[in-house]
Amino acid sequence: MKKLINKPEDVVREALAGMAAVHADLINVDIEQQIIVRRDAPIKNKVGVISGGGSGHEPMHGGYVGYGMLDAACPGAVFTSPVPDQMLAATRAVNGGAGVLHIVKNYTGDVMNFEMAAELAAAEDIEVVSVVTNDDVAVQDSLYTAGRRGVGVTVLLEKIVGALAETGAPLAQVAELARQVNNQGRSMGMALTSCTVPAAGKPTFELGEDEMEIGIGIHGEPGRRRAKLATAAEITETLTNPIVDDLRLKAGEQVLAMVNGMGGTPLIELYIVFNELERILKGKSISITRSLVGNYITSLEMAGCSITLVRLNDEFVKYWDAPVHTPALRWGR
């Protein structure tokens, strides 16, 4: 194992300390409770928006805490759900009196712990609504889920919903928009290599030199199948067609498209995938009118990519284009 770490057990704590030092103008980091909170939280009469999950997927979620996106994030140990106490602390920290939205990726541990945190918050008279993301079309059930996994749509949803929350919209409206974005988004990923969890010290799985995993999960969970390495054009088609089919996208529709790196794939290759994606969708008369290319929801140093498409409407576009200022995503402000 070759990693820029000190001790495996200190990785998350030391990374949080680094984030706090770099982004002190945007976030406050409570290293003991392991929560990242927007610097100006709580904001009176604004719905608080929080999310969380295992570390190792950076910049998700801590990199999205700030104006126009999340009010707080709860990072667990690497690839391990945060605990209810963290989620409750984050919920308290962002409660400005208008309630709190929990955005939860569909992994059994995340769902269970966020449910417990919501119950504890309710006992303190904090209104909480939870929305679960489940956009991965690759597999129905996986190692960590019942049903589809929550992956790339989570990032796009956090941006769109966070912008609505900035307007002072009520909790019910913010939660409903979150459900709509989740319903209109689908993702699928692939891996060229495995990744190594620091505490494990060895790769999560083995892939041959000429192999790739299609439909990989963000923790290295198995996908649809293992296949021989193919060209970028072939891989992009393999990922895109199931998404288009599942969303029932039709000619003339517009999408927000994200080509996401899994952590170890250079940007030059992600641009090649995006070029292929645009070609494929253009051939179906589907327009990409908003896009994002880069590392936004990763799996440590795994090489590979995922594609996420969200069917757009005027409301989604309005809140996607709205200003955002976080450590990892910022424009218009």
Side-chain angles (χ1 to χ4, degrees), residues 4-18:
L4 288 169
I5 64 173
N6 294 311
K7 297 177 181 177
E9 61 270 25
D10 294 336
V11 165
V12 174
R13 183 177 59 79
E14 292 180 351
L16 287 175

Side-chain angles (χ1 to χ4, degrees), residues 1-329:
M1 179 173 72
K2 292 182 178 179
K3 289 184 179 289
L4 288 169
I5 64 173
N6 294 311
K7 297 177 181 177
E9 61 270 25
D10 294 336
V11 165
V12 174
R13 183 177 59 79
E14 292 180 351
L16 287 175
M19 273 196 78
V22 175
H23 301 294
D25 58 325
L26 298 175
I27 57 175
N28 289 322
V29 179
D30 186 326
I31 293 174
E32 292 308 310
Q33 294 193 93
Q34 282 192 200
I35 60 172
I36 302 163
V37 181
R38 179 171 158 173
R39 191 160 183 80
D40 55 355
I43 300 169
K44 190 175 181 181
N45 298 325
K46 175 192 175 299
V47 169
V49 182
I50 77 169
S51 192
S55 296
H57 305 302
E58 289 75 20
M60 192 185 75
H61 291 276
Y64 303 131
V65 174
Y67 180 88
M69 214 158 173
L70 295 178
D71 291 276
C74 317
V78 175
F79 291 2
T80 303
S81 296
V83 297
D85 284 351
Q86 283 175 269
M87 298 161 177
L88 178 60
T91 302
R92 288 175 181 146
V94 306
N95 177 37
V100 178
L101 176 69
H102 287 179
I103 298 171
V104 187
K105 300 186 303 302
N106 189 33
Y107 295 95
T108 304
D110 289 15
V111 171
M112 180 177 66
N113 289 349
F114 265 108
E115 281 180 358
M116 291 175 63
E119 290 172 5
L120 293 169
E124 299 180 10
D125 294 323
I126 302 172
E127 185 181 4
V128 173
V129 174
S130 297
V131 173
V132 177
T133 61
N134 57 353
D135 52 299
D136 191 346
V137 302
V139 290
Q140 180 61 33
D141 296 299
S142 188
L143 292 178
Y144 303 104
T145 57
R148 289 179 167 179
R149 302 175 291 214
V151 284
V153 155
T154 312
V155 175
L156 310 182
L157 182 155
E158 288 172 357
K159 166 63 190 81
I160 293 169
V161 169
L164 174 60
E166 289 292 346
T167 69
L171 180 58
Q173 184 183 348
V174 175
E176 178 55 29
L177 183 63
R179 295 185 197 100
Q180 290 176 19
V181 175
N182 181 63
N183 290 340
Q184 297 301 326
R186 301 288 188 276
S187 302
M188 190 166 169
M190 58 79 61
L192 298 171
T193 67
S194 182
C195 59
T196 300
V197 175
K202 60 182 181 179
T204 303
F205 60 92
E206 297 292 338
L207 268 179
E209 285 295 312
D210 61 344
E211 289 183 319
M212 59 181 178
E213 184 81 23
I214 300 295
I216 196 75
I218 58 172
H219 309 95
E221 310 98 301
R224 285 190 174 188
R225 60 188 171 90
R226 191 159 288 192
K228 292 297 182 184
L229 195 58
T231 64
E234 293 166 328
I235 291 169
T236 307
E237 191 125 5
T238 297
L239 300 181
T240 305
N241 287 336
I243 296 172
V244 171
D245 292 346
D246 204 273
L247 270 178
R248 296 191 174 100
L249 285 169
K250 298 179 181 66
E253 292 193 298
Q254 299 181 350
V255 295
L256 161 57
M258 178 171 73
V259 172
N260 169 68
M262 302 302 285
T265 293
L267 196 53
I268 190 171
E269 295 176 24
L270 299 179
Y271 281 129
I272 292 171
V273 172
F274 187 89
N275 183 55
E276 297 296 342
L277 174 62
E278 186 179 46
R279 175 186 60 78
I280 292 165
L281 294 181
K282 194 174 285 185
K284 301 176 186 292
S285 298
I286 298 166
S287 302
I288 299 175
T289 55
R290 298 293 186 276
S291 57
L292 206 56
V293 179
N295 290 308
Y296 294 101
I297 170 172
T298 62
S299 299
L300 295 169
E301 80 279 22
M302 181 186 286
C305 72
S306 63
I307 291 173
T308 300
L309 299 180
V310 174
R311 176 189 277 111
L312 286 175
N313 59 37
D314 290 345
E315 186 178 28
F316 289 7
V317 170
K318 175 183 176 181
Y319 293 119
W320 177 258
D321 289 348
V324 61
H325 195 77
T326 70
L329 209 63

